[in-house]
Amino acid sequence: MTPTPTATLSARDWAEIQERMLVPLYEAVYDRLEVGPGDRLLDLDCGAGLPLLLAAGRGAAATGVEADPARRALARERLLEVLEDPPAPACPYDALLAFSPDPAALAAALPAVRRGGAVVLADWGPAERCTVPSVLGGGPAPRDLDALVERAGLRPDGSGRVFCPFGYADVDSAVRGLLSTGLYPVADDGEAGESAAPCGMADSSLAEKELTEALHPYERTDGAVWLPNIFRYVIARVT
C-alpha cells in the first residue's frame, strides 16, 4: 500500500515534532524495567521508531510493530527492525511495550513474550491532569489499564505516573504535531461530512484553523505552546 501525501506528511510530523514528547514516558518505563544489554523488547505501535532507538541506546535488542505504512517506512529509514504484524514466538521477548494499547493487538502479541516477561501498558492519566485531551474537544477517555491486565490474564506488578509536557516552538508546530497523533479526527480534503470527521471537521484546513484557535490560551509570550500532561503506566507479568 502506497501512503497518500497527507498520510506521509502526518507521519513526518509525528517523527519530526510529536514523538519526542513521549520520551519521559519511555525513559521512566525503561528505568523501571532496568532495560539493558541482552534484553529483547517488542514495541507495539512503535510509530517512527523512537522508543526502539532509546532501547537500543541502552544496549537492548528492540523490534517494533507498526501498522501504518508511512510511519513504518520512516522507522526503517532509521535502520530499525519494524514489522507490520507481531512476530511468531520463535525466540520469546523479555518485555512487550503497548502504549495506548488495543486489546486485540495486545492479545496477538502476548504469545511472543516469555513466561515471566514484562508487559507494559500506558495511556493518558486523569483527565484533570491532561491538557491535550481537553484541547482536542474532550478526546478519548483513558483506557482502564488494570482491566486490560485482568482480561489478558496477566499478573499485576506495579504502576507509575509520568509528567509528559507537550512543548512546541510555536502554534504551527503544535497544530502539526497534534494532528499527527490521530486524536483530532479530520476528513480527507473534499470529503466533508460528520461521518468522515467526528469532530465536525470538513477537511484538514478547517481542522487546523479550529485547533489553532483552541491553542491560543496555551500560547506563551514568546510564541511557544505548553501543554502539560500526566501519563499512567502499569507493569504486568506473563504467567
Side-chain angles (χ1 to χ4, degrees):
M1 174 181 176
T2 301
T4 64
T6 300
T8 302
L9 177 60
S10 177
R12 289 205 175 274
D13 285 343
W14 172 265
E16 295 173 2
I17 299 172
Q18 190 61 37
E19 68 176 347
R20 65 177 179 269
M21 306 300 172
L22 296 177
V23 166
L25 175 61
Y26 301 145
E27 295 287 16
V29 167
Y30 292 163
D31 286 345
R32 184 76 174 262
L33 296 180
E34 298 183 342
V35 170
D39 291 329
R40 300 184 71 248
L41 275 64
L42 180 64
D43 185 5
L44 293 183
D45 297 322
C46 70
L50 181 58
L52 307 182
L53 289 174
L54 295 174
R58 293 169 174 251
T63 300
V65 177
E66 176 54 57
D68 180 74
R71 296 189 187 192
R72 192 167 63 245
L74 289 177
R76 288 173 176 172
E77 286 180 10
R78 293 168 163 175
L79 304 181
L80 297 168
E81 182 183 10
V82 179
L83 312 174
E84 185 174 356
D85 299 299
C91 185
Y93 289 86
D94 300 301
L96 171 66
L97 312 178
F99 300 120
S100 295
D102 172 76
L106 176 63
L110 281 177
V113 186
R114 66 172 175 81
R115 184 174 182 180
V119 177
V120 183
L121 311 180
D123 206 349
W124 298 100
E128 66 275 12
R129 302 290 301 279
C130 293
T131 306
V132 167
S134 63
V135 170
L136 302 178
R143 292 169 176 81
D144 188 337
L145 301 178
D146 301 296
L148 278 175
V149 166
E150 182 177 359
R151 287 200 299 269
L154 302 170
R155 174 172 57 85
D157 192 29
S159 64
R161 293 185 179 185
V162 183
F163 180 54
C164 284
F166 288 10
Y168 307 91
D170 50 42
V171 171
D172 178 67
S173 295
V175 169
R176 290 169 56 200
L178 290 172
L179 287 180
S180 76
T181 66
L183 292 172
Y184 202 65
V186 297
D188 291 336
D189 291 347
E191 295 183 5
E194 292 290 331
S195 61
C199 287
M201 298 298 119
D203 55 43
S204 59
S205 297
L206 183 55
E208 291 171 6
K209 180 177 181 295
E210 294 285 343
L211 189 51
T212 296
E213 294 175 355
L215 287 171
H216 282 317
Y218 306 96
E219 190 176 0
R220 295 184 167 184
T221 56
D222 62 357
V225 175
W226 185 252
L227 303 171
N229 305 286
I230 295 288
F231 280 76
R232 180 174 183 258
Y233 68 86
V234 299
I235 298 175
R237 298 285 172 176
V238 176
T239 57

